[in-house]
Amino acid sequence: SQELEQSPQSLIVQEGKNLTINCTSSKTLYGLYWYKQKYGEGLIFLMMLQKGGEEKSHEKITAKLDEKKQQSSLHITASQPSHAGIYLCGADIGSSGYALNFGKGTSLLVTP
Amino acid sequence: EAGVTQFPSHSVIEKGQTVTLRCDPISGHDNLYWYRRVMGKEIKFLLHFVKESKQDESGMPNNRFLAERTGGTYSTLKVQPAELEDSGVYFCASSQDLSPGYSYEQYFGPGTRLTVT
C-alpha cells in the first residue's frame, strides 16, 4: 500500500519565522491533500494538488507538488500562533479519487 | 452550511460491549467515508459509501465492525464486541459526487474518541 512519510515529525518555531513541511510518497500521487488538525478537533481541509508542478496558496500557506508527483511541500510564511496544530498530508490510494492514505502528521508549535 | 457531525464525541466502554458511532455528512454529499486513527499511528481508511451502497470496505479490520448507511443519509459504525485494540479516534468524512479522474476534497468531522477498557 502507498506510504506517506512526513518530515519533520514535530517543529517548534518562533512567531514570524518561515517553515516547511514535507510529504514524500513511495508511489505516484494521484491527488495530494493537506489538512490541519487543531488539538482535539477534526481535520480542516487546506489544499488539494493534482498536477505535477502545481502550486497553490491560501493566505500565508503555500503547497507544491513536484513534477514527478511523489513529493509535496507545505510552506508557511511569517508563522503565527494560529498556525499551530498538526499538519497532515493525505493521498488518493488509487486513481479513482476517494479513499485517502495519510502520513503520521507534523506537529507545529509557534512560540511568541 | 453545517459541516460533518459525529456523535458521540467520546465513548468509554468495557471490552466485550457494543458501541455505535454515528456520522451525519454534509447535506447533499453522496460520498461518506470512515477513517480511524489508533494511538501513535496514522489515520487509516475503513470504508466508503456512495449513497447507501458500500463502494469499498477494504479497510475494515474484521467482522466485529459493521457500517450502515440506510437511506443514503447518516451512517452508523457499530463495533461488537469491542476489543482493547479498537480504541482510537474514528473520523467520518464526506464529499460531493465524484467524476472519473477528478478528486474532490473530503470534509472531516471532529471524530469520536473511543476508549475500550
Side-chain angles (χ1 to χ4, degrees), chain B residues 26-92:
Chain B
I26 292 173
S27 178
H29 281 190
D30 288 338
N31 295 276
L32 186 150
Y33 316 80
W34 283 99
Y35 292 85
R36 175 176 77 166
R37 176 161 60 195
V38 297
M39 183 78 73
K41 302 279 188 177
E42 62 272 23
I43 297 173
K44 287 286 192 183
F45 165 76
L46 296 179
L47 87 159
H48 168 215
F49 281 100
V50 177
K51 296 184 180 178
E52 67 276 6
S53 300
K54 292 176 185 176
Q55 182 76 12
D56 181 355
E57 52 185 328
S58 61
M60 294 288 263
N62 52 61
N63 58 11
R64 295 185 293 103
F65 289 75
L66 175 64
E68 294 181 321
R69 193 183 181 194
T70 307
T73 53
Y74 71 90
S75 173
T76 58
L77 180 65
K78 180 189 289 187
V79 185
Q80 179 183 28
E83 298 289 344
L84 298 178
E85 64 264 25
D86 299 333
S87 295
V89 181
Y90 290 77
F91 292 101
C92 175

